[in-house]
Amino acid sequence: MPVNFKLGDRVEIKISSEKGEVIGLAQYIDMPPQFFINYKSADGRATKDWFQASELKKL
């Protein structure tokens, strides 16, 4: 399964329009790739979380 994003890519979280940077990725045999995103949440906090490629849009 191809990886849609690479480390350092700027992305937008589709559901919330929050923007951040890919700082990690995980690839699995039986699951879609996961991307660890460092982003500023809507309430202004710095946060990090895992997302699937379908939840992200490249900026």
Side-chain angles (χ1 to χ4, degrees), residues 1 5 8-9 21 25-26 28 31 33-35 52 57 59:
M1 186 173 291
F5 305 101
D9 280 352
E21 179 180 5
L25 59 94
Y28 305 95
M31 292 176 52
Q34 302 283 312
F35 300 92
Q52 292 184 16
K57 178 171 72 170
L59 294 175

Side-chain angles (χ1 to χ4, degrees), residues 1-57:
M1 186 173 291
V3 175
N4 303 44
F5 305 101
K6 61 183 188 292
L7 295 174
D9 280 352
R10 298 279 305 150
V11 295
E12 179 178 309
I13 302 165
K14 289 180 181 178
I15 197 164
S16 65
S17 298
E18 295 161 327
K19 294 170 180 60
E21 179 180 5
V22 178
I23 60 170
L25 59 94
Q27 290 180 280
Y28 305 95
I29 291 173
D30 59 351
M31 292 176 52
Q34 302 283 312
F35 300 92
F36 198 52
I37 309 300
N38 183 25
Y39 65 100
K40 184 176 179 179
S41 66
D43 66 3
R45 294 177 300 116
T47 191
K48 299 173 185 164
D49 208 348
W50 288 98
F51 295 90
Q52 292 184 16
S54 62
E55 300 175 289
L56 302 169
K57 178 171 72 170

